[in-house]
Coordinates of all heavy atoms in Angstrom, one line a residue:
M1 N 130.5 126.7 87.7 CA 129.8 127.2 86.5 C 128.3 127.0 86.7 O 127.5 127.4 85.9 CB 130.3 126.5 85.3 CG 131.5 127.2 84.7 SD 131.3 128.9 84.6 CE 132.9 129.5 84.0
K2 N 127.9 126.2 87.7 CA 126.5 125.9 87.9 C 125.7 127.2 88.2 O 124.6 127.4 87.6 CB 126.4 125.0 89.1 CG 125.5 123.8 88.8 CD 125.4 122.9 90.0 CE 124.6 121.7 89.7 NZ 124.5 120.8 90.9
N3 N 126.3 128.1 89.0 CA 125.6 129.3 89.3 C 125.3 130.2 88.1 O 124.3 130.8 88.0 CB 126.3 130.1 90.4 CG 126.2 129.4 91.7 OD1 125.2 128.7 92.0 ND2 127.1 129.7 92.6
L4 N 126.4 130.3 87.3 CA 126.3 131.1 86.1 C 125.1 130.6 85.2 O 124.3 131.4 84.7 CB 127.6 131.0 85.3 CG 127.6 131.9 84.0 CD1 127.5 133.4 84.4 CD2 128.9 131.6 83.2
K5 N 125.0 129.3 85.0 CA 124.0 128.8 84.2 C 122.6 129.1 84.8 O 121.7 129.5 84.1 CB 124.2 127.2 84.1 CG 123.4 126.7 82.9 CD 123.7 125.2 82.8 CE 122.8 124.6 81.7 NZ 122.8 123.1 81.8
A6 N 122.5 128.9 86.1 CA 121.2 129.2 86.7 C 120.8 130.7 86.6 O 119.7 131.0 86.3 CB 121.3 128.9 88.2
M7 N 121.9 131.5 86.6 CA 121.6 133.0 86.5 C 121.1 133.3 85.0 O 120.2 134.0 84.8 CB 122.9 133.7 86.7 CG 122.7 135.2 87.0 SD 124.3 136.0 87.3 CE 124.7 136.4 85.6
L8 N 121.8 132.6 84.1 CA 121.4 132.9 82.7 C 119.9 132.4 82.4 O 119.2 133.1 81.8 CB 122.3 132.1 81.7 CG 123.6 132.8 81.4 CD1 124.5 131.9 80.6 CD2 123.4 134.1 80.7
V9 N 119.6 131.3 83.0 CA 118.2 130.8 82.9 C 117.3 131.8 83.5 O 116.2 132.1 82.9 CB 118.1 129.4 83.6 CG1 116.6 129.0 83.7 CG2 118.8 128.4 82.8
G10 N 117.6 132.4 84.6 CA 116.8 133.4 85.2 C 116.7 134.6 84.3 O 115.6 135.2 84.2
V11 N 117.8 135.1 83.7 CA 117.7 136.3 82.9 C 116.8 136.0 81.7 O 116.0 136.8 81.3 CB 119.2 136.6 82.4 CG1 119.1 137.7 81.3 CG2 120.0 137.2 83.6
V12 N 117.0 134.9 81.1 CA 116.2 134.5 79.9 C 114.7 134.5 80.3 O 113.9 135.0 79.5 CB 116.6 133.2 79.3 CG1 115.7 132.7 78.2 CG2 118.0 133.3 78.7
A13 N 114.4 133.9 81.4 CA 113.0 133.8 81.8 C 112.5 135.2 82.1 O 111.3 135.5 81.7 CB 112.9 133.0 83.1
A14 N 113.3 136.1 82.7 CA 112.8 137.5 82.9 C 112.6 138.2 81.6 O 111.6 138.9 81.5 CB 113.9 138.2 83.8
L15 N 113.4 138.0 80.6 CA 113.3 138.6 79.3 C 112.0 138.2 78.7 O 111.3 138.9 78.1 CB 114.5 138.4 78.4 CG 115.7 139.1 78.7 CD1 116.9 138.7 77.9 CD2 115.5 140.6 78.5
A16 N 111.8 136.9 78.8 CA 110.6 136.3 78.1 C 109.3 136.9 78.8 O 108.3 137.1 78.1 CB 110.6 134.8 78.3
L17 N 109.3 137.1 80.1 CA 108.2 137.6 80.7 C 107.9 139.1 80.4 O 106.8 139.6 80.3 CB 108.3 137.5 82.3 CG 108.2 136.0 82.8 CD1 108.5 135.9 84.2 CD2 106.8 135.5 82.5
T18 N 109.0 139.9 80.3 CA 108.9 141.3 80.0 C 109.2 141.5 78.5 O 110.2 142.2 78.2 CB 109.8 142.1 80.9 OG1 111.1 141.7 80.7 CG2 109.4 142.0 82.3
A19 N 108.5 140.9 77.6 CA 108.8 141.0 76.2 C 108.6 142.4 75.8 O 107.6 143.0 76.0 CB 107.8 140.1 75.4
P20 N 109.7 143.0 75.1 CA 109.6 144.4 74.7 C 108.5 144.5 73.6 O 108.4 143.6 72.8 CB 111.0 144.7 74.2 CG 111.6 143.3 73.9 CD 110.9 142.4 74.9
S21 N 107.8 145.6 73.5 CA 106.7 145.8 72.6 C 107.2 146.0 71.2 O 106.5 145.8 70.2 CB 105.9 147.0 73.0 OG 106.7 148.1 73.2
W22 N 108.5 146.4 71.0 CA 109.0 146.7 69.7 C 109.2 145.4 68.9 O 109.3 145.5 67.7 CB 110.2 147.6 69.7 CG 111.2 147.3 70.7 CD1 111.3 147.9 72.0 CD2 112.3 146.3 70.7 NE1 112.3 147.3 72.7 CE2 112.9 146.4 71.9 CE3 112.7 145.4 69.7 CZ2 114.0 145.5 72.2 CZ3 113.8 144.6 70.0 CH2 114.4 144.7 71.2
A23 N 109.5 144.4 69.5 CA 109.6 143.1 68.8 C 108.8 142.1 69.6 O 109.2 141.7 70.7 CB 111.1 142.7 68.8
S24 N 107.7 141.7 69.0 CA 106.8 140.8 69.8 C 106.5 139.5 69.0 O 105.5 139.4 68.4 CB 105.6 141.5 70.1 OG 105.1 142.3 69.0
P25 N 107.5 138.6 69.0 CA 107.2 137.4 68.3 C 106.1 136.6 69.1 O 106.2 136.5 70.3 CB 108.5 136.6 68.3 CG 109.4 137.3 69.3 CD 108.8 138.6 69.5
K26 N 105.1 136.2 68.5 CA 104.0 135.4 69.1 C 104.0 134.0 68.7 O 104.5 133.7 67.5 CB 102.7 136.1 68.8 CG 102.3 137.2 69.7 CD 100.8 137.5 69.4 CE 100.2 138.3 70.5 NZ 98.8 138.4 70.3
T27 N 103.6 133.2 69.5 CA 103.4 131.8 69.1 C 102.0 131.3 69.3 O 101.4 131.7 70.2 CB 104.3 130.9 70.0 OG1 105.7 131.4 70.0 CG2 104.3 129.4 69.6
V28 N 101.5 130.7 68.2 CA 100.2 130.2 68.3 C 100.2 128.7 67.9 O 100.9 128.3 67.1 CB 99.2 131.0 67.4 CG1 99.5 130.8 65.9 CG2 97.7 130.6 67.7
T29 N 99.3 127.9 68.6 CA 99.2 126.5 68.3 C 97.9 126.4 67.5 O 96.8 126.8 67.9 CB 99.1 125.7 69.5 OG1 100.3 125.9 70.3 CG2 99.0 124.2 69.2
L30 N 98.0 125.8 66.3 CA 96.8 125.6 65.4 C 96.5 124.1 65.4 O 97.4 123.3 65.2 CB 97.1 126.1 64.0 CG 97.5 127.5 63.8 CD1 97.7 127.8 62.3 CD2 96.3 128.4 64.2
N31 N 95.3 123.8 65.7 CA 94.8 122.4 65.5 C 94.4 122.2 64.1 O 93.5 122.8 63.6 CB 93.6 122.2 66.5 CG 94.0 122.2 67.9 OD1 95.0 121.5 68.3 ND2 93.3 123.0 68.7
V32 N 95.1 121.3 63.4 CA 94.8 121.0 62.1 C 94.4 119.5 62.0 O 95.2 118.6 61.9 CB 96.1 121.2 61.2 CG1 95.7 121.1 59.7 CG2 96.7 122.5 61.5
S33 N 93.1 119.3 62.1 CA 92.5 118.0 62.2 C 92.6 117.2 60.9 O 92.6 116.0 60.9 CB 91.1 118.0 62.7 OG 90.3 118.9 61.8
G34 N 92.8 117.9 59.8 CA 92.9 117.3 58.5 C 94.2 116.6 58.1 O 94.4 116.1 57.0
M35 N 95.2 116.7 59.0 CA 96.5 116.1 58.7 C 96.4 114.6 59.0 O 96.6 114.2 60.1 CB 97.6 116.7 59.6 CG 97.9 118.1 59.2 SD 99.6 118.7 59.8 CE 99.3 118.7 61.6
T36 N 96.2 113.9 57.9 CA 95.9 112.4 58.1 C 97.0 111.5 57.6 O 97.0 110.4 57.8 CB 94.6 112.0 57.4 OG1 94.7 112.5 56.0 CG2 93.4 112.6 58.1
C37 N 98.0 112.1 56.8 CA 99.1 111.3 56.4 C 100.4 112.1 56.5 O 100.3 113.3 56.7 CB 98.9 110.7 55.0 SG 99.3 111.9 53.7
E38 N 101.5 111.5 56.4 CA 102.7 112.2 56.6 C 103.1 113.3 55.6 O 104.0 114.1 55.8 CB 103.9 111.2 56.8 CG 103.8 110.6 58.2 CD 104.8 109.5 58.4 OE1 105.9 109.6 57.8 OE2 104.5 108.5 59.1
A39 N 102.4 113.3 54.5 CA 102.6 114.4 53.5 C 101.9 115.6 53.8 O 102.3 116.7 53.4 CB 102.2 113.9 52.1
C40 N 100.9 115.5 54.6 CA 100.1 116.7 55.0 C 100.9 117.8 55.6 O 100.7 119.0 55.3 CB 98.9 116.3 55.8 SG 97.7 115.3 55.0
P41 N 101.7 117.5 56.6 CA 102.4 118.6 57.3 C 103.3 119.4 56.4 O 103.4 120.6 56.6 CB 103.3 117.8 58.3 CG 102.6 116.5 58.6 CD 101.9 116.2 57.3
I42 N 103.8 118.7 55.3 CA 104.6 119.4 54.4 C 103.8 120.5 53.7 O 104.2 121.7 53.5 CB 105.2 118.5 53.3 CG1 106.1 117.4 54.1 CG2 106.0 119.2 52.3 CD1 106.4 116.2 53.2
T43 N 102.6 120.2 53.3 CA 101.7 121.1 52.6 C 101.3 122.3 53.5 O 101.4 123.4 53.2 CB 100.4 120.4 52.1 OG1 100.8 119.2 51.4 CG2 99.6 121.3 51.2
V44 N 101.0 121.9 54.8 CA 100.6 122.9 55.7 C 101.8 123.9 56.0 O 101.6 125.1 56.1 CB 100.2 122.2 57.1 CG1 99.9 123.3 58.2 CG2 98.9 121.4 56.8
K45 N 103.0 123.3 56.1 CA 104.2 124.1 56.4 C 104.5 125.0 55.3 O 104.8 126.2 55.5 CB 105.4 123.1 56.6 CG 106.5 123.7 57.4 CD 107.5 122.7 57.8 CE 108.6 123.3 58.6 NZ 109.6 122.4 59.1
K46 N 104.4 124.5 54.1 CA 104.6 125.4 52.9 C 103.7 126.6 52.8 O 104.0 127.7 52.5 CB 104.5 124.5 51.6 CG 105.8 123.9 51.3 CD 105.7 123.2 49.9 CE 107.0 122.5 49.6 NZ 106.8 121.6 48.4
A47 N 102.4 126.3 53.1 CA 101.4 127.3 53.1 C 101.7 128.4 54.1 O 101.6 129.6 53.9 CB 100.0 126.7 53.4
L48 N 102.1 128.0 55.3 CA 102.4 128.9 56.4 C 103.7 129.7 56.1 O 103.8 130.9 56.5 CB 102.5 128.2 57.7 CG 101.2 127.7 58.3 CD1 101.4 126.7 59.4 CD2 100.3 128.9 58.7
Q49 N 104.7 129.1 55.4 CA 105.9 129.8 55.1 C 105.7 131.0 54.2 O 106.5 131.9 54.2 CB 106.9 128.8 54.5 CG 107.7 127.9 55.5 CD 108.4 126.8 54.9 OE1 108.1 126.4 53.7 NE2 109.3 126.2 55.6
K50 N 104.6 130.9 53.4 CA 104.3 132.0 52.5 C 103.7 133.2 53.2 O 103.7 134.3 52.6 CB 103.3 131.5 51.4 CG 104.0 130.6 50.4 CD 102.9 130.2 49.4 CE 103.4 129.0 48.5 NZ 102.3 128.3 47.9
V51 N 103.3 133.0 54.4 CA 102.7 134.2 55.1 C 103.8 135.1 55.7 O 104.7 134.6 56.4 CB 101.9 133.7 56.3 CG1 101.2 134.9 57.1 CG2 100.8 132.7 55.9
P52 N 103.8 136.4 55.3 CA 104.9 137.3 55.7 C 104.8 137.4 57.2 O 103.8 137.6 57.8 CB 104.5 138.6 55.0 CG 103.5 138.3 54.0 CD 102.8 137.0 54.4
G53 N 106.0 137.4 57.8 CA 106.0 137.5 59.3 C 106.2 136.3 60.1 O 106.5 136.3 61.2
V54 N 106.0 135.1 59.4 CA 106.1 133.8 60.0 C 107.6 133.5 60.1 O 108.3 133.5 59.1 CB 105.4 132.7 59.3 CG1 105.7 131.3 59.8 CG2 103.9 133.0 59.4
S55 N 108.1 133.2 61.3 CA 109.5 132.9 61.5 C 109.8 131.4 61.8 O 110.9 131.0 61.6 CB 110.1 133.8 62.6 OG 109.4 133.6 63.8
K56 N 108.8 130.7 62.4 CA 109.1 129.4 62.8 C 107.8 128.5 62.7 O 106.8 129.0 63.1 CB 109.7 129.4 64.2 CG 110.3 128.1 64.6 CD 111.2 128.3 65.9 CE 111.7 127.0 66.4 NZ 110.9 126.5 67.5
I57 N 108.0 127.3 62.2 CA 106.8 126.4 62.1 C 107.3 125.1 62.6 O 108.2 124.5 62.1 CB 106.4 126.3 60.6 CG1 106.0 127.7 60.0 CG2 105.1 125.4 60.6 CD1 106.1 127.7 58.5
D58 N 106.6 124.6 63.6 CA 106.8 123.3 64.2 C 105.6 122.4 64.0 O 104.5 122.8 64.5 CB 107.2 123.3 65.6 CG 108.6 123.8 65.9 OD1 109.5 123.4 65.1 OD2 108.8 124.7 66.8
V59 N 105.7 121.4 63.2 CA 104.5 120.5 63.0 C 104.6 119.4 63.9 O 105.6 118.7 64.0 CB 104.5 120.0 61.5 CG1 103.3 119.1 61.3 CG2 104.4 121.2 60.5
L60 N 103.5 119.2 64.7 CA 103.4 118.1 65.6 C 102.4 117.2 65.0 O 101.2 117.2 65.3 CB 103.0 118.6 67.0 CG 103.7 119.8 67.6 CD1 103.1 120.3 68.9 CD2 105.2 119.4 67.9
Y61 N 102.9 116.4 64.1 CA 102.0 115.5 63.3 C 101.1 114.6 64.2 O 99.9 114.4 64.0 CB 102.8 114.7 62.3 CG 102.0 113.7 61.6 CD1 100.9 114.1 60.7 CD2 102.2 112.3 61.7 CE1 100.2 113.2 60.0 CE2 101.5 111.4 61.0 CZ 100.4 111.8 60.2 OH 99.7 110.9 59.5
E62 N 101.7 114.0 65.2 CA 101.0 113.1 66.1 C 99.9 113.7 66.8 O 98.8 113.1 67.0 CB 102.0 112.5 67.1 CG 103.2 111.7 66.5 CD 104.3 112.6 66.1 OE1 104.3 113.8 66.4 OE2 105.1 112.2 65.3
K63 N 100.0 115.0 67.1 CA 99.0 115.7 67.8 C 98.1 116.5 66.9 O 97.2 117.2 67.3 CB 99.6 116.7 68.8 CG 100.4 116.0 69.9 CD 101.2 117.0 70.7 CE 100.4 117.6 71.9 NZ 101.3 118.5 72.7
K64 N 98.4 116.4 65.6 CA 97.7 117.2 64.6 C 97.7 118.7 64.9 O 96.7 119.3 64.9 CB 96.3 116.6 64.4 CG 96.2 115.2 63.8 CD 94.8 114.9 63.5 CE 94.5 113.6 62.7 NZ 95.5 112.6 62.8
Q65 N 98.9 119.1 65.3 CA 99.0 120.5 65.6 C 100.2 121.2 64.9 O 101.1 120.5 64.6 CB 99.2 120.7 67.1 CG 97.9 120.4 68.0 CD 98.2 120.6 69.4 OE1 99.3 120.5 69.9 NE2 97.2 121.0 70.2
V66 N 100.1 122.5 64.7 CA 101.2 123.2 64.1 C 101.4 124.4 65.1 O 100.5 125.1 65.4 CB 100.8 123.7 62.7 CG1 102.1 124.4 62.1 CG2 100.4 122.6 61.8
V67 N 102.7 124.5 65.5 CA 103.0 125.6 66.4 C 103.8 126.6 65.5 O 104.8 126.4 64.9 CB 104.0 125.2 67.5 CG1 104.3 126.4 68.4 CG2 103.3 124.1 68.3
V68 N 103.2 127.8 65.4 CA 103.7 128.9 64.5 C 104.2 130.0 65.3 O 103.5 130.6 66.2 CB 102.6 129.3 63.5 CG1 103.2 130.3 62.5 CG2 101.9 128.2 62.8
T69 N 105.4 130.5 65.0 CA 105.9 131.7 65.6 C 105.9 132.8 64.6 O 106.4 132.5 63.5 CB 107.4 131.4 66.1 OG1 107.4 130.3 67.0 CG2 107.9 132.6 66.9
F70 N 105.3 133.9 64.9 CA 105.2 135.0 63.9 C 105.4 136.3 64.6 O 105.3 136.5 65.8 CB 103.9 134.9 63.2 CG 102.7 135.0 64.1 CD1 102.0 136.2 64.3 CD2 102.2 133.9 64.9 CE1 100.9 136.4 65.1 CE2 101.1 134.1 65.7 CZ 100.5 135.3 65.8
D71 N 105.6 137.3 63.7 CA 105.7 138.7 64.2 C 104.3 139.3 64.1 O 103.7 139.4 63.0 CB 106.7 139.4 63.2 CG 106.9 140.9 63.6 OD1 106.0 141.4 64.4 OD2 107.9 141.5 63.2
D72 N 103.8 139.7 65.3 CA 102.4 140.1 65.3 C 102.2 141.5 64.7 O 101.1 142.0 64.7 CB 101.7 139.9 66.6 CG 102.2 140.9 67.7 OD1 103.2 141.7 67.4 OD2 101.6 141.0 68.8
S73 N 103.3 142.2 64.3 CA 103.1 143.4 63.6 C 103.0 143.2 62.1 O 102.6 144.1 61.4 CB 104.3 144.4 63.9 OG 105.4 143.9 63.3
K74 N 103.3 142.0 61.7 CA 103.2 141.7 60.3 C 102.0 140.8 59.9 O 101.5 140.8 58.8 CB 104.5 141.0 59.8 CG 105.6 142.0 59.7 CD 106.9 141.3 59.2 CE 108.1 142.3 59.2 NZ 109.3 141.5 59.5
T75 N 101.6 139.9 60.8 CA 100.5 139.0 60.5 C 99.8 138.7 61.8 O 100.1 139.2 62.9 CB 101.1 137.7 59.8 OG1 100.0 137.0 59.4 CG2 101.9 136.9 60.8
N76 N 98.8 137.9 61.7 CA 98.0 137.5 62.9 C 97.4 136.1 62.7 O 97.6 135.5 61.7 CB 96.9 138.5 63.1 CG 96.0 138.7 61.8 OD1 95.6 137.7 61.2 ND2 95.8 139.9 61.4
T77 N 96.8 135.6 63.8 CA 96.3 134.3 63.8 C 95.3 134.0 62.7 O 95.4 133.0 62.1 CB 95.7 134.0 65.2 OG1 96.6 134.3 66.2 CG2 95.2 132.5 65.3
D78 N 94.5 135.0 62.4 CA 93.5 134.8 61.4 C 94.1 134.5 60.0 O 93.7 133.7 59.3 CB 92.6 136.1 61.3 CG 91.6 136.2 62.3 OD1 91.4 135.2 63.1 OD2 90.9 137.2 62.5
A79 N 95.2 135.3 59.7 CA 95.9 135.1 58.5 C 96.5 133.7 58.4 O 96.6 133.1 57.3 CB 97.0 136.2 58.3
L80 N 97.0 133.2 59.5 CA 97.6 131.9 59.5 C 96.5 130.8 59.3 O 96.7 129.8 58.6 CB 98.3 131.6 60.9 CG 99.4 132.6 61.3 CD1 99.9 132.4 62.7 CD2 100.5 132.5 60.3
V81 N 95.4 131.0 59.9 CA 94.3 130.0 59.8 C 93.8 130.0 58.3 O 93.6 129.0 57.7 CB 93.1 130.4 60.7 CG1 91.8 129.7 60.3 CG2 93.5 130.1 62.2
K82 N 93.8 131.2 57.8 CA 93.4 131.4 56.4 C 94.4 130.7 55.4 O 94.0 130.0 54.5 CB 93.3 132.9 56.0 CG 92.1 133.2 55.1 CD 92.0 134.7 54.9 CE 91.0 135.3 55.9 NZ 90.9 136.8 55.7
A83 N 95.6 130.8 55.7 CA 96.7 130.2 54.9 C 96.5 128.7 54.9 O 96.6 128.0 53.8 CB 98.1 130.6 55.4
T84 N 96.3 128.0 56.0 CA 96.2 126.6 56.1 C 94.9 126.2 55.4 O 94.8 125.2 54.7 CB 96.3 126.0 57.5 OG1 95.2 126.4 58.2 CG2 97.6 126.4 58.2
T85 N 93.9 127.0 55.7 CA 92.5 126.6 55.1 C 92.6 126.7 53.6 O 92.1 125.8 52.9 CB 91.5 127.6 55.6 OG1 91.5 127.6 57.0 CG2 90.1 127.3 55.1
N86 N 93.3 127.7 53.0 CA 93.4 127.8 51.6 C 94.2 126.7 51.0 O 94.0 126.3 49.8 CB 94.0 129.2 51.2 CG 93.1 130.3 51.4 OD1 91.9 130.2 51.6 ND2 93.6 131.5 51.5
A87 N 95.1 126.1 51.8 CA 95.9 125.0 51.3 C 95.1 123.7 51.4 O 95.6 122.6 51.1 CB 97.2 124.9 52.1
G88 N 93.9 123.7 52.0 CA 93.1 122.5 52.1 C 93.0 122.0 53.5 O 92.5 120.9 53.7
Y89 N 93.6 122.7 54.4 CA 93.6 122.2 55.8 C 93.1 123.2 56.8 O 93.8 124.0 57.3 CB 95.1 121.8 56.2 CG 95.6 120.7 55.4 CD1 96.4 121.0 54.2 CD2 95.3 119.4 55.7 CE1 96.8 120.0 53.4 CE2 95.8 118.4 54.9 CZ 96.6 118.7 53.7 OH 97.0 117.7 52.9
P90 N 91.8 123.2 57.0 CA 91.2 124.2 57.9 C 91.8 123.9 59.3 O 92.0 122.8 59.7 CB 89.7 123.8 57.9 CG 89.5 123.0 56.7 CD 90.8 122.3 56.4
S91 N 92.1 125.0 60.0 CA 92.7 124.9 61.3 C 92.0 125.8 62.3 O 91.2 126.7 61.9 CB 94.2 125.3 61.3 OG 94.3 126.6 60.8
Q92 N 92.2 125.5 63.5 CA 91.6 126.3 64.6 C 92.7 126.6 65.6 O 93.4 125.7 66.1 CB 90.5 125.5 65.3 CG 89.3 125.4 64.5 CD 88.2 124.5 65.2 OE1 88.6 123.6 66.0 NE2 87.0 124.9 65.0
P93 N 92.8 127.9 66.0 CA 93.8 128.2 67.0 C 93.4 127.6 68.4 O 92.2 127.6 68.7 CB 93.7 129.8 67.1 CG 92.5 130.2 66.4 CD 92.1 129.1 65.5
E94 N 94.4 127.0 69.0 CA 94.1 126.4 70.3 C 93.9 127.5 71.3 O 94.7 128.5 71.4 CB 95.3 125.5 70.7 CG 94.9 124.7 71.9 CD 96.1 123.7 72.2 OE1 97.1 124.1 72.5 OE2 95.8 122.5 72.0
K95 N 92.9 127.3 72.2 CA 92.7 128.3 73.2 C 93.9 128.2 74.2 O 94.2 127.2 74.7 CB 91.4 128.0 74.0 CG 90.2 128.1 73.1 CD 89.7 129.5 72.9 CE 88.5 129.7 71.9 NZ 89.0 129.6 70.5
T96 N 94.5 129.4 74.4 CA 95.7 129.4 75.3 C 95.3 129.5 76.7 O 94.5 130.4 77.1 CB 96.6 130.5 74.9 OG1 95.9 131.7 74.7 CG2 97.5 130.2 73.7
A97 N 95.7 128.5 77.5 CA 95.4 128.6 78.9 C 96.3 129.6 79.6 O 97.5 129.6 79.5 CB 95.6 127.2 79.5
K98 N 95.6 130.5 80.3 CA 96.4 131.6 80.9 C 96.7 131.3 82.4 O 95.9 130.7 83.0 CB 95.7 132.9 80.8 CG 96.4 133.8 79.8 CD 95.9 135.2 80.0 CE 96.9 136.2 79.2 NZ 96.4 137.6 79.3
Ligands
CU101 CU1 98.3 113.8 53.7

């Protein structure tokens, strides 16, 4: 079964690389420096959940980062930044290393 698993991993990797244009979930990492206590991520998360098109939010409290997965046909990084900023937590998209 080892080979099958390796093959599946390869297929998934290939799919990820050739992401179809009709469904393009994007992931952005936002640096939220204002998250200073453990209640902050909850507020940030709630604000982001209200943005249409957002499908996944991972708060990395220790790194003061929020990883947001969203549908880029429905929303964009600017809207996400605006949402956290309006909630009292200004954020900056992390420059993605290519
Ligand atoms: Cu707090």
Side-chain angles (χ1 to χ4, degrees):
M1 277 312 178
K2 229 178 180 180
N3 286 338
L4 181 66
K5 199 179 171 191
M7 198 183 84
L8 279 175
V9 169
V11 168
V12 169
L15 283 174
L17 287 173
T18 57
S21 55
W22 41 267
S24 41
K26 272 194 161 188
T27 304
V28 68
T29 301
L30 300 176
N31 291 309
V32 191
S33 54
M35 289 200 293
T36 50
C37 78
E38 281 173 36
C40 293
I42 298 166
T43 311
V44 173
K45 202 169 177 176
K46 274 188 182 166
L48 289 168
Q49 277 168 344
K50 285 182 194 157
V51 180
V54 171
S55 56
K56 194 165 173 259
I57 304 156
D58 285 317
V59 179
L60 311 171
Y61 174 63
E62 300 79 16
K63 295 169 89 179
K64 292 191 175 20
Q65 287 181 332
V66 184
V67 181
V68 188
T69 306
F70 62 97
D71 181 340
D72 73 351
S73 69
K74 289 184 184 146
T75 189
N76 54 50
T77 305
D78 282 352
L80 302 174
V81 168
K82 218 172 265 178
T84 67
T85 303
N86 288 344
Y89 299 94
S91 60
Q92 287 176 329
E94 190 174 66
K95 298 276 175 284
T96 41
K98 249 195 170 180

